[in-house]
Structure formats: C-alpha cells, structure tokens
Amino acid sequence: MLYDFSEKVASCLDSKEISKFIISEAMRLIKADNISVMLLNNDSDAFEVITHSGKETYSQDIMRLQEGVAVSVMDAGKAKIINNIKSDSNYASKIDDLISVMFAPLKVKDRSIGVVKLGSRSQLEYAAEDLKIFAALASQAAVAIENARLYENLKDAFITTVHTLAETIEKRDPYTGGHTRRVTDYCLAIGRMIGLSDTDIHRLELAAVLHDIGKIGIRDNVLLKDGRLTDEEFEEIKKHTIYGEEILDHIKHFKNVITGVKYHHERYDGRGYPDGVKGEDIDITARIIAIADTFDAMTTDRPYRKGLSLEAAFEELKRCSGTQFDPELVNAFLKAFENKPV
Amino acid sequence: MLYDFSEKVASCLDSKEISKFIISEAMRLIKADNISVMLLNNDSDAFEVITHSGKETYSQDIMRLQEGVAVSVMDAGKAKIINNIKSDSNYASKIDDLISVMFAPLKVKDRSIGVVKLGSRSQLEYAAEDLKIFAALASQAAVAIENARLYENLKDAFITTVHTLAETIEKRDPYTGGHTRRVTDYCLAIGRMIGLSDTDIHRLELAAVLHDIGKIGIRDNVLLKDGRLTDEEFEEIKKHTIYGEEILDHIKHFKNVITGVKYHHERYDGRGYPDGVKGEDIDITARIIAIADTFDAMTTDRPYRKGLSLEAAFEELKRCSGTQFDPELVNAFLKAFENKPV
C-alpha cells in the first residue's frame, strides 16, 4: 500500500495535489469525517490549511485554537491520538465538532513543515495501528510536499525575475510596472479563452513578458525620441524583433519562446516584419501578442497623444481583424473582455 | 525497507545523490559486483551512466552494446533477469565482464527515463524475489530522479536567464559575453577559496551576475561616453548602485542579494559609495565583487586605454589592500589565481 502511495505522491510537483491525494488515501484506510493538511508559512509564522476534506470553512477562531495543538505536535515531532477530545482538558471541545482525532507531523529530515489532522464526529477508538498508518502517510506526503514547494518557489522566483528584468529593460528606468504586465495579462486571457494547454500558456507568458526584450539593443536617441521617427529610425526600431531572437537564443529554456518574440510584429496578411510571415504560419503566441501589444499601445497615453477609449480600441481591433490580426484571436480577446474585464 | 528508502530518496533533489543511494541500497539487499544507473538523454538520444559502483570506466563500445539491452528493457517497460549472459545469444558476452545480470527500467508514469543494471562477475541464480526488490527500488528511484531533474532543469534555466538578461542589460547590445561572466568567475573563485557555504555561493553568484544591473537606469550619453566624465556625469553613474537596489527590491528571491549589488563600490576604508559603509560592515559578497570588478576593469582594454598585465593588476590590488579592498579577500584572490589561473 505505502509503496504504491509513495510512488504516486512523489511523481507530482504540486503541493495541493499531493495533499488531496494523502486525504483520499487516509479516507480509504482510516475511518474519518474530516482531514486537513496544515502547513506552516515561514513568512507569517502561521498555519495555513492548504487542503481539507468536506465542506467546512475554517474560521479565524478555529484556526487559532488548532494552531496550539498543531504547534505542540510539530514540536514533539510525533503523531498522537486523542480519542475523546471533549474529556481532554488541553483541548476541551475547542476543535470544531470532532470528538476522536489524530494528529501527525509533516516531517522533513529533522524539521516539521506542518501537521495533518484527521478526526471523526462520533467517538471512535483509534488504535496504535491506525496511528502508524496515518503517520506513515504523513511522513511520505511531507517529503513530497516539501519537494513540490521547493519547485514552486523556484518557479515563482524564475517568473518574477524574468518579469522584473524584462520590465526594467523596457522602461530603461527604475521599475514602474506597466506595458509588459498588461500585455501579459491580455495574452493570458486570450490563451485561456481559446483553451491553450498549461505548457502553451507557460510559453505564451514567457513570450509576452519578453516580447520587447530586444529593445535593449536600440539606442536612447531612437527609442526615447519624442517626435515622429524618420524612415531610417523606424527601420532601426524594427530590429528589436531580431535582437530579441539573438538574446533568447542563448537560453535553452527559451527555445520555444523565440518565435513568439521574433514575430509579434508580423501581420496576418503577411505585411508585417521582420520576415513577412503570414496567417497561421505565424506562431500562435506571436499572433496573440500582436493583438495584446497593439491594444495596450492604443489604450494608454503617450507623450504625444492621449490613449483611445476601450470601445474605440475594440472597434479598431475589429477593423484590422483579418488583415493585421488573426480574426479568431480577435474574437477570443473581445469575448475575454466581455466575460470579465481583464 | 522500501518505505524507508522512498522517504530518503524523495527528500533529495539531486539526481546523482539519489542514484548513489539506490546503488548502496541495492548492494545491501542483493548480491552484486556492479550496478549502474543509466539515463536517457533526450537531447542526444543516448544513454549516460550517471552513477555506477566500482571503479570501471565505460568505453564507447561497452556503452553502445549496453544501449541495445537498455533500449529493449525500456521499451518492454519490465525488469528482467539474465542469469548466464554468456549463453544468451542476444547478449553473448558483450556486456563488460558480468555473467549474471538484472535490468530494471526507470519508469515515471508511462514513460521510461532510463535503466538500472545490476550484475555479478561470478554466475549466480537471481530469483524472482530479487528481481522484485530490484524493480521496486528502481521504480522509487525513477520518480525521485525525474523530480530532481525537473528541479535541476528549472534551476539551470533560472541562472542562465539571469546571466543572459544581466549581460544583455550591461552590454546594451546583442549578447557578447564578457565582463559579467568574468567578474562572476573571479567571485566564485574567491568564495570557494574562503570556504563559503553552498547557500552563500549561490547568493554571491547572483549578486555578481547582477552587480551592474542598475546601469539600465543610466542614459546612453553618460554610460557610453567615450571621453572622461564630468563630476556631474560621475555622480549620475554612481547611482547605478542604488538603481540596482530598486530593481531587485521587487524580487523576493533576491532579498539577500541586494547588499552585494548595492555596495560593490564601497571601500574597505569607508570612502566608497553610495553609503560610505566601512570594513566588515560591508556585506562580504560586496567586498568580493569589488575586487573582482576592479581586477576585470584593470585587465581589459577600454576604448581609451589598454588593459594592464595580470602582474601589474595583482600589484595594484596589493597596493589597495586595506584601503580600497578587504586584505584577507585580496589574499584569497591571489591564492586562487596561483592555484589555478581562473
């Protein structure tokens, strides 16, 4: 049993999924009405219920009281049974409506990262054997959860870093947020609307974040010019798509992201740049970014003009649907906005 | 037994460590002279022996022959025993000097990522029970190795991305490599010489890579100026240390990296910038970067002057030891260079 379990939990790098799995296994093996997985948040020093069975919501009061018990189990580092919590003066009827409960620490090496609680609303006699199974499940889950958290943290650090550096580059100024973030949000809204897979959503997000990275290669006097660009200067600006490719070419992880960045100024009718690629030959992430990028450019103020209203920008997207933009993706964008303003 | 094993392997996110552990467990449980863990490299489509017991080195020939067997085990997805390989026409004495062998696939969900081979130089009768234990070990290890690889890949993507983006920013030009990479190498050499922990080495590497990130905030006409800077322009340049802090302040993962970046122009005698911090009050990563950064600036050509020779630069570091630089760290740098030219 445990062997099978450990293989299943270990093959997943999502702490919520792992917690759900431990709950269903415990429910299968031990009689219980309620199981919850609580992790200690190192930043806030408080417990968070990351998954629990049943429909209970956890009030602040219950959480506070549970924490006392959870802390003591974590500190002791040992699972425990309390078969009649009402008669135990330490807990006296304080923990929701459960009567018989078991707690097991989520231990990784010598450190506890949280607690699992399991309990029944009617009085039961949990035995040493139940506790042993429960503790073993918790022990396996702890390691899997910890690995998943390390992975999640690194993933988060990665994406935040790419975001920050890309926005820094774009702004050529201390971080202010703005265009990149909005373009990314619009892109993700379109991507979700058309049902892209998780992998493609990740690829789209990176391409959206990095779409203007090549602007680092454009000199201030062109990039930051206040007035209208000469033809020559515009040719210079166009190169940011190719510079983007050159930069990302050095990062293996971004191999699949390059076409999204390089082709975000291609047009559906083939009259875009840098290569004049056409229609569905343009990578779908690039076609999505083209819409999001133009929409954001239209709706925000620039030094030399006010931004359009949302309605006027929608009309403009519709007008250019089929020539500049992929019509299906324009529709998806309009629909995403209708459903829930991005 | 397996329960204990799975907990141990799962708690580690390093595929080599996990492989070593599976080898020692298999050696403990099953009679064998030789065990090797081979992973399929998806890029090259070839197997790599990532860990093996004993001192054998693997020749190209042996690898090629092993691959035939490994591929068939992977495709079948099932562990197998060959008790007398010399009498088996499929393998006929082709696999190094082992006689009785077992193979087990490293399976993750429905996909095999490699093979574990175990064998003896004398003829044995491996039984179904041995194969079962061996396959179970491999199965547990497979999941742990796959998770570790995902983690390693992400970590690699992260550090490469930070490197590339930082170099891109520094150069304001399509990627050419250079200063950032060398400064980072010098820093790591010093860090290792003084025995920094892995965590501190990671922090130092990130700070070194990002030390000039704030230059993004400096305009071309100052940053790229060919001749000597005016006092005013120099005050502008100095701000890159503070801009660096402002940028990194947005990334939680870089909290510990900020002081290294912000203070890499502080001097040991307190006469540096931006804050005039002194001696050991300057974060050690910043004190290390100061040496590496100056050394690289001295030894490379600039548009307006040739770089110093290594010897002249070493002399200059010594001359400024105790005033501009931490003397102990200067010594560590000189020693690192003596041991093995960086």
Side-chain angles (χ1 to χ4, degrees):
Chain A
M1 174 286 292
L2 278 179
Y3 159 64
D4 191 43
F5 169 75
S6 73
E7 193 176 0
K8 279 187 189 138
V9 296
S11 70
C12 173
L13 281 167
D14 177 319
S15 51
K16 276 228 165 62
E17 283 303 310
I18 294 164
S19 303
K20 275 185 201 155
F21 192 73
I22 184 192
I23 287 177
S24 75
E25 280 299 279
M27 284 285 190
R28 198 169 62 80
L29 296 162
I30 305 164
K31 197 166 161 11
D33 295 317
N34 179 304
I35 303 181
S36 49
V37 178
M38 288 176 270
L39 291 182
L40 188 65
N41 181 323
N42 288 319
D43 288 337
S44 65
D45 222 23
F47 283 92
E48 282 169 37
V49 175
I50 63 160
T51 327
H52 62 92
S53 67
K55 293 182 200 70
E56 293 82 355
T57 50
Y58 285 82
S59 72
Q60 286 297 324
D61 277 355
I62 289 176
M63 276 310 294
R64 241 194 323 273
L65 291 165
Q66 285 202 5
E67 279 177 17
V69 186
V71 167
S72 76
V73 170
M74 272 185 58
D75 287 351
K78 270 171 53 184
K80 77 190 294 176
I81 302 175
I82 307 165
N83 267 326
N84 188 343
I85 207 163
K86 310 262 179 210
S87 69
D88 188 310
S89 62
N90 286 319
Y91 311 111
S93 81
K94 283 172 183 164
I95 298 174
D96 36 46
D97 56 350
L98 301 175
I99 295 178
S100 297
V101 293
M102 293 199 287
F103 288 91
L106 289 161
K107 266 175 86 173
V108 178
K109 288 165 188 165
D110 295 329
R111 199 165 42 87
S112 290
I113 59 169
V115 166
V116 191
K117 188 197 68 173
L118 169 152
S120 158
R121 284 192 202 93
S122 52
Q123 182 162 358
L124 298 174
E125 290 300 323
Y126 287 128
E129 184 58 23
D130 298 314
L131 192 68
K132 204 171 151 191
I133 293 172
F134 181 51
L137 277 174
S139 177
Q140 298 258 338
V143 177
I145 289 173
E146 179 67 358
N147 282 353
R149 288 211 298 182
L150 286 173
Y151 191 74
E152 286 159 10
N153 284 344
L154 184 61
K155 208 163 162 182
D156 189 55
F158 177 64
I159 202 87
T160 318
T161 304
V162 174
H163 267 280
T164 304
L165 295 183
E167 288 181 358
T168 302
I169 288 172
E170 191 192 270
K171 285 293 173 193
R172 291 255 185 106
D173 258 324
Y175 180 103
T176 57
H179 177 69
T180 299
R181 180 71 58 177
R182 286 188 304 270
V183 168
T184 307
D185 288 345
Y186 298 151
C187 285
L188 293 178
I190 298 174
R192 290 201 190 98
M193 181 58 68
I194 61 170
L196 288 185
S197 69
D198 283 355
T199 311
D200 280 338
I201 286 280
H202 178 65
R203 188 167 83 90
L204 174 62
E205 176 168 13
L206 286 174
V209 171
L210 296 166
H211 75 281
D212 274 342
I213 188 100
K215 286 197 173 160
I216 192 73
I218 313 292
R219 292 277 165 251
D220 284 354
N221 57 351
V222 176
L223 188 68
L224 307 177
K225 189 173 172 184
D226 236 356
R228 191 169 268 284
L229 297 176
T230 65
D231 285 354
E232 209 175 33
E233 287 166 344
F234 188 58
E235 288 305 313
E236 184 57 30
I237 286 274
K238 281 177 166 182
K239 288 188 188 153
H240 81 277
T241 52
I242 298 169
Y243 292 159
E245 176 185 28
E246 286 171 2
I247 292 165
L248 299 182
D249 211 29
H250 295 274
I251 311 175
K252 196 175 142 198
H253 186 80
F254 289 155
K255 210 181 270 178
N256 297 324
V257 175
I258 292 177
T259 46
V261 172
K262 186 176 182 185
Y263 293 137
H264 76 278
H265 284 289
E266 296 293 359
R267 291 169 50 113
Y268 198 68
D269 59 11
R271 294 171 51 229
Y273 63 89
D275 288 352
V277 193
K278 194 172 170 173
E280 314 232 324
D281 289 345
I282 309 165
D283 175 14
I284 190 164
T285 59
R287 278 179 275 148
I288 293 173
I289 296 169
I291 295 170
D293 189 30
T294 310
F295 185 78
D296 188 61
M298 291 193 295
T299 51
T300 48
D301 296 337
R302 294 289 155 106
Y304 44 91
R305 59 150 178 74
K306 282 283 289 175
L308 294 182
S309 69
L310 292 186
E311 289 67 30
F314 290 144
E315 284 312 310
E316 191 60 18
L317 286 186
K318 281 184 216 163
R319 198 178 64 78
C320 302
S321 175
T323 51
Q324 188 170 352
F325 306 120
D326 181 332
E328 275 184 47
L329 295 175
V330 169
N331 284 340
F333 183 65
L334 297 175
K335 220 158 122 193
F337 245 101
E338 262 170 42
N339 286 2
K340 184 172 137 291
V342 180
Chain B
M1 173 284 291
L2 279 179
Y3 159 65
D4 192 40
F5 169 76
S6 72
E7 192 176 4
K8 278 183 189 144
V9 296
S11 71
C12 174
L13 281 167
D14 177 317
S15 52
K16 275 227 166 61
E17 283 302 309
I18 293 164
S19 303
K20 275 185 202 151
F21 192 73
I22 183 190
I23 287 178
S24 76
E25 280 298 281
M27 286 285 191
R28 199 169 62 82
L29 297 163
I30 306 165
K31 199 165 162 9
D33 294 318
N34 180 303
I35 304 181
S36 49
V37 178
M38 289 176 269
L39 291 183
L40 187 66
N41 182 324
N42 288 320
D43 287 336
S44 65
D45 221 24
F47 284 92
E48 283 170 37
V49 175
I50 64 161
T51 326
H52 62 93
S53 67
K55 292 183 201 67
E56 294 84 353
T57 50
Y58 286 81
S59 72
Q60 286 297 323
D61 278 354
I62 289 178
M63 274 310 293
R64 241 195 320 275
L65 291 166
Q66 285 203 6
E67 279 176 18
V69 188
V71 167
S72 75
V73 170
M74 269 185 57
D75 287 349
K78 272 171 55 184
K80 77 191 293 174
I81 302 175
I82 308 166
N83 268 327
N84 189 342
I85 207 161
K86 309 262 180 211
S87 68
D88 188 310
S89 63
N90 287 319
Y91 311 112
S93 82
K94 285 173 180 162
I95 297 176
D96 37 46
D97 56 350
L98 301 176
I99 295 177
S100 297
V101 294
M102 293 198 286
F103 288 91
L106 289 161
K107 264 175 86 173
V108 178
K109 288 167 188 165
D110 295 328
R111 199 165 42 89
S112 290
I113 59 169
V115 166
V116 190
K117 188 197 68 173
L118 169 152
S120 159
R121 283 191 202 92
S122 52
Q123 182 163 358
L124 299 175
E125 292 298 326
Y126 287 128
E129 183 59 22
D130 297 313
L131 192 70
K132 204 172 149 190
I133 292 172
F134 182 50
L137 276 174
S139 175
Q140 297 259 337
V143 178
I145 289 173
E146 179 67 359
N147 281 352
R149 288 212 297 181
L150 285 174
Y151 191 74
E152 287 160 9
N153 284 345
L154 185 61
K155 208 165 162 178
D156 190 56
F158 178 65
I159 202 87
T160 320
T161 303
V162 175
H163 268 280
T164 304
L165 295 183
E167 287 180 359
T168 301
I169 287 173
E170 190 192 272
K171 285 291 172 194
R172 292 256 183 106
D173 256 324
Y175 181 102
T176 57
H179 176 69
T180 299
R181 179 73 56 175
R182 288 188 303 272
V183 168
T184 306
D185 288 346
Y186 298 151
C187 284
L188 293 179
I190 299 174
R192 289 199 191 97
M193 181 57 69
I194 61 170
L196 287 185
S197 68
D198 284 355
T199 311
D200 281 338
I201 287 278
H202 177 66
R203 188 168 82 91
L204 174 61
E205 176 169 13
L206 285 174
V209 171
L210 295 167
H211 75 282
D212 274 342
I213 189 99
K215 286 195 174 161
I216 192 71
I218 313 292
R219 293 276 165 250
D220 284 353
N221 58 351
V222 177
L223 187 68
L224 307 177
K225 188 174 175 183
D226 235 359
R228 190 169 269 284
L229 296 176
T230 65
D231 286 353
E232 208 174 34
E233 287 166 344
F234 188 58
E235 288 305 314
E236 185 57 31
I237 286 274
K238 282 178 164 180
K239 288 187 188 156
H240 82 277
T241 53
I242 298 169
Y243 293 159
E245 177 186 27
E246 286 171 358
I247 292 166
L248 300 182
D249 211 29
H250 294 274
I251 311 176
K252 197 175 143 197
H253 187 80
F254 290 155
K255 211 181 269 179
N256 297 325
V257 174
I258 292 177
T259 46
V261 172
K262 183 175 183 183
Y263 292 136
H264 76 277
H265 284 290
E266 295 293 358
R267 290 169 51 113
Y268 199 67
D269 59 12
R271 292 171 50 231
Y273 64 89
D275 289 352
V277 193
K278 196 173 170 173
E280 317 232 323
D281 288 344
I282 309 166
D283 175 15
I284 189 163
T285 59
R287 278 179 276 149
I288 294 173
I289 296 169
I291 296 170
D293 188 32
T294 310
F295 184 78
D296 188 61
M298 291 193 296
T299 52
T300 48
D301 296 339
R302 295 290 157 105
Y304 44 92
R305 60 148 178 75
K306 284 278 294 171
L308 295 181
S309 70
L310 291 185
E311 291 65 32
F314 290 145
E315 284 313 311
E316 191 60 18
L317 285 186
K318 282 184 215 162
R319 198 180 64 78
C320 302
S321 177
T323 51
Q324 190 171 351
F325 306 120
D326 181 332
E328 277 183 47
L329 295 175
V330 169
N331 285 339
F333 183 66
L334 298 174
K335 221 158 122 192
F337 247 98
E338 263 170 40
N339 286 2
K340 181 173 139 295
V342 179

